[in-house]
Amino acid sequence: MDLAFLNLTFLFGALGAAVPLILHLVRRQRAGIHVFSMVRFLISSQRSIVRQQRFRRLLLLLLRMAACALLAVIFARPFLRDQDETVFAGTQPEAVAILVDTSYSMGYGNRIALAKRRAAEILNDLQTGDQAALLTFAVQARVIRELGSSHSELPVLVDSEVSATFQATDYVEALRAADDQLSGSDFDRRTVYLVSDFQQSGWNPRSGGWKLGPGVQLRMIDVGDAQDDNSAVTGVEIPTVAGMESSAAPDGAERALSADGRTLDVAVRIRNFGQAPFRDEVTLRVNGIETGKRRVDIPPHSSRVEIFRQTFGSATNTGEVMLGEDGLPVDNRFFFTVNAPTPVRVLCLEERSRPNRPSEAAYYLSQALSLRRDPPVVVDVRSPDALAAVDPSEYDVVISANLSVLPRAAKDRLTGYVRSGGSLIIALNPAVSSGIFNSSFGELLPGRIASLSPPDRPRDRYRVLTDVNYQHPVFQPFSGPRHGDFGTVRFYRTARFEPDSSASVPARFDDGAAAVAEKPLGNGRTFLVLSTFDLAWTDFPIREVFVPFLYESIDYLASRGTMHERGAGLYRLAGEAVRLPDGAQHVVLPSGEQVPVETSRTGRKLFTQTRQPGLYRVQSEGGQQTFAVNLDTRESDFARMDAEAFAAALINPVAESPESRETESLARFVRDAEVERRQGLWWILGFTLIALVLGETLLANRTHR
């Protein structure tokens, strides 16, 4: 225990003890000399009185000086403190979550090495008692070390666990994981350190209203550089295998790849994301043999499509496109497969107003999908109650055509189906109730319906689609001229929809409301059309874009959300789940490693270890199959995000939550009580001061002036 003071400044008031001494010295009376005739009888008496007065005055001086000094000490608020305690001194401890970007763009230059150094500097600044968590992220976050007060092993983990992956970036999902780590801390100071190159592709400003927890601070540490020259192969398409309409394929072209082989056009898309022109060669290899090479010259921030005429000699073919080297070589190779297409199976769930009469929504859907030939589509129409007798895993896509309510048993089956890798399309019922619809579909929805437009709104006050993301796989084929115009579709009723933070909105109405929303759920995906598939709310089913829109949606979802995936199964994206044949035994990775195939809870064989681009070979009882995995080339675009807008959108303006305020109030009460208890010494000093003043008064009255 030692003595400390809350207000050290007041100790300077102790100098006031010198005031009585100065006054004593200044006003000191000096003895005068007086002549008396007879002083013999006064000498002894005078000496005694002088000695008494001198002692009393000295004691009075000391009492006054002690009173002044003690008053200053009381105002300084003394207390007793343990020598090893820091409650009343030093900075408060801090809880930090360090998020390090490991998307493949971090492999450019020395970005990943710089990110490691920045993370190590953060760790070096931690104080004893601080808590720290270490996470890496790309599309999803990975917790390397949970939040804890031990820091010794973190530098080693940064050096060994932080490396560039083959995936894109999702900043919101990463910050969610970091916020979850910090929510377990009782510290008032909580900070997320985000170490990244901050690409715009990793954040959608319209993705939702999620924010960090109250009181959580965000520190953004930029490891990007000014040089951003990069080119990439962004896609491969084979139009006559793509199942597209005549606008994308020659008239009379066959749709299926026969076992006898066929000559097809291979369209290779190349994008120059940099500031300087790109000049190099692009090479096509089919089944391991070089079949074509071209010289390309692409201006800055431009794209180019190179067409290779290629004859495929069998029903199963593999391909690879190679581009010249640059600062990020990982996106200069692109893999694909061209196989004979298999039928796509679709389960359509409908709600009938009459038992023996199919719903209009299911009728329009089944008629449109039955026209598909490459690949063919098989549609089964069932009621949601009949879902108990059906195995959803046998279908590539499930469509909720017009369900106003989803029974609990059907919801559980569909949720398990989607989480295991299935895809679900949801459309609205004309008589939908937002509350019932939100409650019955639950997490299958990419958000919630907030309100519906009035049913009696005049038909001439319709809405149209004005904000369509033509980079989305469903809408990309419509981006060219004369490829279909969604602006001609009329929507007489609409729903005001609030998307989740994990949802995306690829199409909006002219009032800004969402028209289409989607979100990943487990290994699958849900796709919500905020209108009906009949003519009650819209004329969409009788417009020319309706049928190709359905085809693109089915292709997109049947391939588990792959960009540019078509009926022939050209490729998947890194990190996506791939459904394997029932007889699949193991998969050979591009690195040569052999991985056994596991069966999911639903009995489906789903392969999820698609972390690197390349060709994956599936060994099964019936032989060998191959599928291709590529990068999400949106990550190849180094365009920077607006850091201020990003921080403003994600930092919570609320300084602390009600729970934190309650906890802080209780902690403050306990802290104040402890401070007051340790300052009990000033009461003793106060009574001592009173005693000194009383003593000084009594002594002053007995002292001759």
Side-chain angles (χ1 to χ4, degrees):
M1 302 287 288
D2 61 358
L3 186 65
F5 299 89
L6 287 182
N7 302 311
L8 288 173
T9 306
F10 282 100
L11 288 180
F12 288 102
L15 298 176
V19 174
L21 178 61
I22 295 172
L23 292 176
H24 175 77
L25 296 176
V26 171
R27 299 179 60 186
R28 182 178 180 183
Q29 294 182 355
R30 300 185 179 275
I33 300 175
H34 300 277
V35 179
F36 288 90
S37 60
M38 183 73 72
V39 296
R40 182 179 60 178
F41 299 106
L42 299 176
I43 294 176
S44 59
S45 175
Q46 184 184 21
R47 290 177 178 174
S48 173
I49 293 173
V50 169
R51 282 195 299 269
Q52 290 179 8
Q53 291 296 326
R54 183 178 298 170
F55 174 75
R56 288 180 181 178
R57 288 175 179 172
L58 179 60
L59 182 59
L60 187 61
L61 176 63
L62 293 176
L63 286 175
R64 289 171 176 171
M65 293 178 64
C68 292
L70 193 58
L71 183 62
V73 171
I74 291 173
F75 276 104
R77 303 297 295 270
F79 67 92
L80 296 176
R81 177 184 61 186
D82 293 336
Q83 292 183 357
D84 58 347
E85 187 164 333
T86 60
V87 175
F88 304 104
T91 59
Q92 293 182 350
E94 183 180 16
V96 302
I98 304 173
L99 268 174
V100 184
D101 187 354
T102 56
S103 59
Y104 76 79
S105 66
M106 293 291 288
Y108 185 87
N110 66 339
R111 292 182 181 182
I112 199 69
L114 184 58
K116 288 184 176 183
R117 288 200 296 271
R118 295 293 179 263
E121 291 171 0
I122 298 170
L123 293 174
N124 290 335
D125 292 337
L126 295 178
Q127 304 295 323
T128 302
D130 289 346
Q131 296 177 340
L134 177 63
L135 304 90
T136 60
F137 73 96
V139 174
Q140 295 179 335
R142 174 179 169 226
V143 179
I144 305 297
R145 224 290 303 273
E146 298 277 351
L147 188 70
S149 55
S150 176
H151 314 151
S152 57
E153 74 278 14
L154 288 178
V156 178
L157 292 175
V158 168
D159 188 61
S160 61
E161 298 292 334
V162 176
S163 59
T165 64
F166 297 102
Q167 293 187 336
T169 310
D170 190 331
Y171 289 107
V172 174
E173 288 303 310
L175 290 172
R176 278 179 177 271
D179 192 61
D180 289 342
Q181 289 291 316
L182 294 180
S183 65
S185 175
D186 295 329
F187 293 168
D188 294 334
R189 299 176 61 207
R190 291 168 295 154
T191 306
V192 176
Y193 288 91
L194 181 58
V195 185
S196 175
D197 52 4
F198 296 103
Q199 291 176 263
Q200 179 60 50
S201 62
W203 175 56
N204 181 4
R206 296 181 176 180
S207 61
W210 180 86
K211 296 180 182 295
L212 292 167
V216 177
Q217 299 299 312
L218 177 62
R219 299 287 183 265
M220 300 169 62
I221 302 175
D222 192 354
V223 295
D225 45 44
Q227 184 179 5
D228 62 352
D229 293 338
N230 183 44
S231 297
V233 181
T234 59
V236 170
E237 296 179 5
I238 303 180
T240 55
V241 183
M244 299 171 67
E245 292 300 304
S246 58
S247 59
D251 292 337
E254 294 183 4
R255 299 291 182 184
L257 181 62
S258 66
D260 298 330
R262 199 176 74 198
T263 300
L264 303 171
D265 287 333
V266 179
V268 178
R269 296 183 179 274
I270 307 169
R271 175 75 178 175
N272 179 8
F273 296 100
Q275 302 283 351
F278 177 80
R279 300 180 180 89
D280 214 316
E281 291 182 339
V282 57
T283 304
L284 174 66
R285 296 173 62 90
V286 175
N287 297 326
I289 301 174
E290 182 178 319
T291 59
K293 180 180 290 188
R294 302 278 177 80
R295 184 78 179 178
V296 294
D297 188 346
I298 308 175
H301 299 291
S302 301
S303 298
R304 183 183 180 90
V305 178
E306 285 292 329
I307 304 296
F308 292 87
R309 193 71 173 167
Q310 177 64 39
T311 299
F312 296 93
S314 64
T316 302
N317 302 272
T318 63
E320 178 183 0
V321 177
M322 296 175 291
L323 194 63
E325 296 295 324
D326 58 15
L328 189 65
V330 69
D331 60 3
N332 291 359
R333 301 178 69 189
F334 204 93
F335 305 89
F336 64 96
T337 61
V338 182
N339 306 322
T342 57
V344 177
R345 299 200 62 190
V346 175
L347 175 61
C348 181
L349 301 177
E350 67 165 350
E351 183 177 303
R352 295 187 177 184
S353 57
R354 298 179 183 178
N356 299 324
R357 183 177 179 180
S359 65
E360 290 187 8
Y363 172 78
Y364 281 113
L365 289 172
S366 58
Q367 289 296 312
L369 294 175
S370 63
L371 300 175
R372 180 73 174 267
R373 291 182 297 168
D374 179 22
V377 179
V378 178
V379 182
D380 291 339
V381 180
R382 303 290 180 94
S383 68
D385 294 329
L387 194 60
V390 177
D391 183 7
S393 64
E394 295 179 356
Y395 296 89
D396 297 289
V397 179
V398 176
I399 301 178
S400 171
N402 64 338
L403 301 184
S404 60
V405 60
L406 185 64
R408 179 61 180 270
K411 173 187 173 182
D412 293 340
R413 296 211 71 184
L414 287 179
T415 301
Y417 162 74
V418 174
R419 287 190 173 276
S420 298
S423 297
L424 174 65
I425 298 177
I426 305 172
L428 302 183
N429 185 287
V432 64
S433 169
S434 58
I436 297 175
F437 185 78
N438 293 334
S439 176
S440 62
F441 277 83
E443 64 177 335
L444 291 172
L445 297 176
R448 59 181 295 275
I449 295 179
S451 62
L452 302 171
S453 61
D456 56 350
R457 188 169 68 179
R459 303 280 283 187
D460 58 350
R461 296 178 58 188
Y462 53 82
R463 296 292 181 189
V464 295
L465 293 177
T466 58
D467 186 4
V468 178
N469 178 14
Y470 287 105
Q471 298 299 316
H472 189 277
V474 171
F475 296 101
Q476 189 178 45
F478 303 94
S479 60
R482 298 183 300 277
H483 281 203
D485 184 7
F486 284 95
T488 61
V489 181
R490 299 180 178 184
F491 295 88
Y492 307 112
R493 288 195 68 189
T494 57
R496 177 68 63 176
F497 186 74
E498 297 176 352
D500 291 339
S501 60
S502 59
S504 61
V505 181
R508 294 180 181 270
F509 296 115
D510 53 356
D511 63 348
V516 177
E518 66 169 333
K519 77 168 184 178
L521 181 62
N523 291 318
R525 185 173 296 272
T526 62
F527 192 83
L528 174 64
V529 179
L530 287 152
S531 187
T532 61
F533 279 153
D534 56 24
L535 299 176
W537 283 24
T538 177
D539 61 359
F540 192 21
I542 59 175
R543 292 289 181 175
E544 61 180 5
V545 293
F546 180 71
V547 173
F549 169 79
L550 281 182
Y551 292 171
E552 295 301 327
S553 301
I554 293 296
D555 286 343
Y556 169 61
L557 295 170
S559 60
R560 306 301 172 264
T562 303
M563 293 182 65
H564 308 297
E565 175 85 4
R566 297 295 185 243
L570 296 182
Y571 60 90
R572 273 85 173 170
L573 294 183
E576 290 182 341
V578 179
R579 184 191 302 178
L580 300 180
D582 293 337
Q585 298 173 339
H586 61 266
V587 177
V588 181
L589 305 183
S591 62
E593 179 184 358
Q594 183 171 294
V595 179
V597 176
E598 298 180 355
T599 304
S600 65
R601 290 179 299 176
T602 61
R604 174 183 297 176
K605 292 193 173 181
L606 205 65
F607 188 72
T608 59
Q609 300 185 41
T610 57
R611 291 186 289 269
Q612 54 184 339
L615 297 172
Y616 291 70
R617 307 190 184 278
V618 183
Q619 304 291 339
S620 60
E621 298 175 355
Q624 176 177 287
Q625 293 179 322
T626 304
F627 66 88
V629 172
N630 288 296
L631 304 173
D632 184 347
T633 53
R634 289 176 296 182
E635 184 73 13
S636 299
D637 187 356
F638 292 165
R640 308 296 293 276
M641 68 165 61
D642 185 340
E644 292 184 1
F646 176 75
L650 293 172
I651 295 177
N652 200 322
V654 180
E656 55 183 353
S657 63
E659 295 80 5
S660 300
R661 286 195 294 269
E662 183 178 353
T663 303
E664 173 61 22
S665 177
L666 180 60
R668 188 182 300 112
F669 175 78
V670 174
R671 186 166 59 249
D672 291 345
E674 177 66 11
V675 171
E676 189 64 30
R677 183 186 69 81
R678 298 198 174 192
Q679 294 181 71
L681 187 61
W682 81 274
W683 286 95
I684 300 174
L685 297 178
F687 284 116
T688 304
L689 177 61
I690 294 174
L692 288 176
V693 172
L694 291 175
E696 188 273 343
T697 302
L698 293 174
L699 186 60
N701 290 333
R702 291 172 174 266
T703 302
H704 175 73
R705 293 176 176 82

